[in-house]
Amino acid sequence: MSQKGLSNSLKAAIIGIGICGLIIYFYFLPAWGKTIVNSLPQYRGCYAPWVVFLWVTAAPCYLVLLCCWRVASEIGRDNSFSYVNARMLKYIAGLAAFDSALLFAGSGVFFAFDMCSGGLLLLCIVVVFVGVTVTVAAAALSHLIYKAAELAQENELTI
């Protein structure tokens, strides 16, 4: 597959992930919240704060998609191992860490104020673990791409 074809495939996947995220954040999560409120009426007043909180946690996810779009564009320019891609992956790692910390702290606050069940807290912890995994993977890739960009730059300077 050519660099341009790979770039277009990555961009199509990014668009698909963005659309799926919108469906999850704005349809499934609110619907699931309503189901929880209907089955556990003591959490009725917690529905709106949780939905708003989850929408806030969506913002870093979409910033990550913008960074991924930039990486895909660089790949399309046949510039895969570049300082730009290393920096974008570093931003992705930072955003994933921030979103994980935000979700962890927010779900802890909700749990402390008895605004969520233990099962929901456990689910949030699993999502936080996935976010930490993305953070570590993006940071490692950022480091490797930075080293590859340095090697490529040194290679261009030799005759």
Side-chain angles (χ1 to χ4, degrees), residues 18-127:
I19 291 169
C20 288
L22 287 173
I23 293 169
I24 289 168
Y25 275 105
F26 291 101
Y27 178 73
F28 284 113
L29 289 177
W32 186 49
K34 286 179 184 175
T35 303
I36 291 172
V37 166
N38 289 336
S39 61
L40 300 169
Q42 69 266 27
Y43 295 119
R44 190 169 312 270
C46 307
Y47 174 77
W50 262 105
V51 169
V52 170
F53 172 66
L54 291 173
W55 288 344
V56 168
T57 63
C61 298
Y62 282 93
L63 290 174
V64 164
L65 290 178
L66 288 175
C67 291
C68 290
W69 189 272
R70 180 90 187 263
V71 169
S73 296
E74 288 296 316
I75 290 171
R77 292 186 195 108
D78 199 19
N79 200 14
S80 299
F81 300 108
S82 66
Y83 293 113
V84 172
N85 283 352
R87 190 173 67 246
M88 288 296 112
L89 284 165
K90 189 174 180 181
Y91 290 156
I92 289 169
L95 287 166
F98 172 74
D99 201 31
S100 297
L102 179 65
L103 184 59
F104 182 76
S107 60
V109 167
F110 279 121
F111 187 73
F113 287 114
D114 198 30
M115 295 178 72
C116 78
S117 65
L120 187 57
L121 181 66
L122 183 62
L123 179 64
C124 287
I125 289 172
V126 169
V127 173

